Amino acid sequence: RGEDETYLAPNKYPNVKVISIPIPIRDKETIVQRLEEGQIRKGDGVVYMQDTYLRYMTENSKQFGQALKVFLNQENYPILVNCSMGKDRTGFLMAMLLSALEIPEETILKDYTTSNQYINIKHHEKMARNLNTDAQETITLLLQANESWLELVFKKIKKEYGSTKKFL
């Protein structure tokens, strides 16, 4: 999480070693503003999330690589990985970790979408209540772990690198 996210939701686990590898959420303010102004459609949310996941493997690959290296040092164990929602940056990192461990892609996708059972959308309901239908649908979309975003990344990795192992 970035400093702004940590400020809004401070660490609640005392006596832990924190290894911070911030991965920014690009265009977050823009999409929030468009939501609030009713200037967004559900399709815009899909494109935003697809772009976000593709940036993880391009613009943010260095940070994700650093995060994966944390797992190589047993002195870091146990490890808790988190981001704001626990599904996007965390989901991508866990997908790459599980890929490195040669877990089948089908199992990785199932694990990723399990996040949907634990996402608490209560604090977004008040904001969404006064928005138009397109904005409400977009918020719902943004709050979900959608396997198509990870599938898109896996396809792009295979196309550009031949395999996830080579990408890693």
Side-chain angles (χ1 to χ4, degrees):
R1 298 183 298 154
E3 287 182 23
D4 59 329
E5 295 168 283
T6 304
Y7 175 78
L8 292 173
N11 179 15
K12 39 183 160 171
Y13 304 102
N15 306 317
V16 297
K17 175 183 174 184
V18 175
I19 301 172
S20 179
I21 304 172
I23 299 170
I25 302 173
R26 192 164 145 201
D27 301 327
K28 179 179 163 183
E29 294 79 20
T30 302
I31 199 155
V32 169
Q33 181 180 353
R34 289 183 62 206
L35 282 165
E36 290 171 347
E37 294 173 355
Q39 300 297 318
I40 198 158
R41 296 176 191 259
K42 188 176 178 182
D44 297 336
V46 171
V47 171
Y48 174 79
M49 292 308 295
Q50 289 172 338
D51 287 347
T52 295
Y53 276 70
L54 291 173
R55 278 194 297 272
Y56 291 159
M57 65 171 281
T58 56
E59 294 175 20
N60 304 123
S61 62
K62 182 179 177 183
Q63 294 101 314
F64 282 107
Q66 287 177 305
L68 286 170
K69 287 177 183 173
V70 170
F71 287 88
L72 297 175
N73 183 347
Q74 289 187 353
E75 292 179 19
N76 293 328
Y77 285 80
I79 297 175
L80 168 68
V81 177
N82 69 326
C83 60
S84 294
M85 293 289 296
K87 67 174 186 72
D88 297 319
R89 292 168 289 183
T90 297
F92 179 83
L93 178 64
M94 292 298 101
M96 294 302 105
L97 178 64
L98 294 173
S99 292
L101 297 171
E102 299 182 357
I103 303 298
E105 191 175 308
E106 175 184 304
T107 303
I108 294 170
L109 292 171
K110 184 176 180 184
D111 177 73
Y112 168 71
T113 56
T114 300
S115 296
N116 288 324
Q117 297 173 26
Y118 303 99
I119 295 171
N120 181 358
I121 62 169
K122 292 284 183 203
H123 64 279
H124 296 284
E125 287 177 351
K126 266 189 179 173
M127 180 183 79
R129 189 175 297 134
N130 297 321
L131 299 176
N132 68 34
T133 303
D134 283 341
Q136 289 175 351
E137 288 179 3
T138 301
I139 288 173
T140 301
L141 178 88
L142 296 174
L143 296 176
Q144 292 177 350
N146 186 319
E147 72 180 43
S148 69
W149 302 323
L150 269 184
E151 286 173 334
L152 176 67
V153 169
F154 280 126
K155 284 178 186 171
K156 182 141 175 101
I157 287 172
K158 286 175 188 158
K159 182 178 179 184
E160 291 188 17
Y161 297 90
S163 70
T164 307
K165 186 174 185 174
K166 288 180 183 177
F167 169 72
L168 294 171

